[in-house]
Amino acid sequence: HRRSDRRGARIKDMVSISERPPEVEDRAVPGHWEGDLIMGSTASNSAVGTLCERATGFVMLLHLPDGHGALAVQEALVAKMATLPEQLRLSLTWDQGKEMANHVAIAAATDLDIYFADPKAPWQRPTNENGNALVRRYVGKGTDLSVYTTRDLRAIERRINTIPRRSLDWATANDTYTAAVAMTG
């Protein structure tokens, strides 16, 4: 085996975070998202997808009852992004997990520009890392995440998005997101 085979293949046709436009970095424009999977117990092989909007801190969760393979993540991402106004679907930054192997199809279906963080560089997706920490308050590490229903995940989203945050001058993510939707609408 070649060394790269053991570490996993690079995702075909991926666009590096280094090519992401500066407007994504400065958080001035809403509609730029960061995403990831929160993994459940090894025995359950379950996961929940997390999406965090960079400017507002708004968190959305992806229900993945049929596993976290590329097709399941694609379907969940496309469905979730379809719930957003077009002007809030600008970009998505994800790590290089194999669950994003269908990123070209996701981009085509959602009109998102998709960028990939460097390997082992969670600091390149800080909004998502913070969002994941908030989600972990409600879904413990090492648990079976498949027990959470869509309704359960919506309740967790509501709780997280209504917590006043210092990073938002004590506003809630829900308040800042709602204002962003109104401004871009």
Side-chain angles (χ1 to χ4, degrees), residues 13 33 45 47 67-68 72 75 94 97 110 123 130-131 134 136 146 149 166 173 182:
D13 299 324
W33 298 82
N45 195 30
H68 51 89
E75 290 171 350
W94 202 278
T110 60
W123 61 86
N130 183 58
L134 294 172
R136 281 291 186 198
S146 68
T149 65
R166 182 183 324 162

Side-chain angles (χ1 to χ4, degrees), residues 9 22 30 33 46 108 126 149 157-158 164 181 185:
W33 298 82
S46 58
T149 65
E157 287 174 350
R158 278 191 299 281
V181 169

Side-chain angles (χ1 to χ4, degrees), residues 7-41:
R7 288 185 301 186
R10 186 175 159 95
I11 294 176
K12 188 176 189 297
D13 299 324
M14 69 177 205
V15 179
S16 170
I17 192 171
S18 65
E19 296 179 45
R20 194 171 71 172
E23 69 204 33
V24 178
E25 195 62 35
D26 69 17
R27 301 175 192 268
V29 177
H32 298 286
W33 298 82
E34 295 174 1
D36 197 7
L37 294 181
I38 290 180
M39 301 306 293
S41 65

Side-chain angles (χ1 to χ4, degrees), residues 10-15 70-71 73-75 77-78 92 94 97-116:
R10 186 175 159 95
I11 294 176
K12 188 176 189 297
D13 299 324
M14 69 177 205
V15 179
L71 185 58
V73 170
Q74 174 186 343
E75 290 171 350
L77 257 173
V78 169
L92 173 62
W94 202 278
K98 63 185 177 185
E99 70 274 4
M100 286 299 285
N102 296 346
H103 68 95
V104 173
I106 295 167
T110 60
D111 205 27
L112 283 167
D113 293 329
I114 299 179
Y115 302 97
F116 289 89

Side-chain angles (χ1 to χ4, degrees), residues 131-144:
N132 287 354
L134 294 172
V135 173
R136 281 291 186 198
R137 293 180 182 180
Y138 302 97
V139 298
K141 276 193 173 204
T143 60
D144 181 356

